[in-house]
Structure formats: C-alpha cells, structure tokens
Amino acid sequence: MIETAEIDITPSAAARVAAIAQKQGKAPILRLAVDGGGCAGFQYRFGLADAVEAGDTTAVRDGVTLVVDEVSLDLVRGSAVDFVESLGGASFQVTNPNAASGCGCGTSFSI
C-alpha cells in the first residue's frame, strides 16, 4: 500500500462512502478503477472494496480510504474524487487533470 498525494477524496465523497459502507456493513474503502470503453475511450468504475491490495495507492480522509490500482493510477494521477448532488441526480465524479476531454455523462474520458 502506497499512501501519497497522487490522488485525493473530498470530504463530501468521504461522507458518502462512509454512509454507504455503514448501510452495507462493509469497510469504508472506495476503489476507483479505469476501464477501457465508454463514449470517450476510458471510463471510471467505482465500488466498495473489502481490503487494500498490494500495490494500491491510497488516500485517506475522515476514516475513509480511496484506493487505486497501479494500472489505473497512471490515468488518474493528480485526480480528486468528489460526490456531487444536483438536479440531475447524485454521483461520484472525478476531477482528472490528465483527461484531454470528457463526455456529457461525466463517467468517461480520453487522454
């Protein structure tokens, strides 16, 4: 496990992860992964993780851990995960300085 400032989780996202994890009886660990696909080339995938894996990079805020695997980290280095509520709904969003462009849905990007 590598804890660095290479990724971040906002207080809003940490609070939401904590609430979801408590409701599901799981550890407050959010995994951010990047998969090929989506309308812009890559897409973000979020899910609660059971544990931090070897080689994961982590960010911890308010007792919540954000984890990113080594392969995905190259695509999201310097990013922050936020939880945003708007008229259109509520979702986790990634502010990714590496993304050259994104799509209207906010879940995919290109480099």
Side-chain angles (χ1 to χ4, degrees), residues 34-44 75 96 98-111:
V34 176
D35 293 331
C39 46
F42 295 102
Q43 60 188 358
Y44 301 114
L75 299 169
N96 187 345
N98 305 302
S101 65
C103 66
C105 65
T107 61
S108 67
F109 67 101
S110 66
I111 301 279

Side-chain angles (χ1 to χ4, degrees), residues 16 82-93:
R16 184 64 178 164
D82 195 10
F83 183 75
V84 178
E85 296 183 75
S86 67
L87 291 176
S91 64
F92 288 102
Q93 296 183 356

Side-chain angles (χ1 to χ4, degrees), residues 40-60:
F42 295 102
Q43 60 188 358
Y44 301 114
R45 184 170 39 89
F46 294 100
L48 289 180
D50 294 323
V52 177
E53 304 287 331
D56 282 345
T57 296
T58 65
V60 178

Side-chain angles (χ1 to χ4, degrees), residues 7-21:
I7 56 170
D8 193 19
I9 183 167
T10 67
S12 175
R16 184 64 178 164
V17 171
I20 292 169

Side-chain angles (χ1 to χ4, degrees), residues 64-90:
V64 172
T65 303
L66 170 66
V67 295
V68 179
D69 63 85
E70 293 176 83
V71 174
S72 297
L73 182 62
D74 285 340
L75 299 169
V76 297
R77 186 172 276 114
S79 296
V81 174
D82 195 10
F83 183 75
V84 178
E85 296 183 75
S86 67
L87 291 176

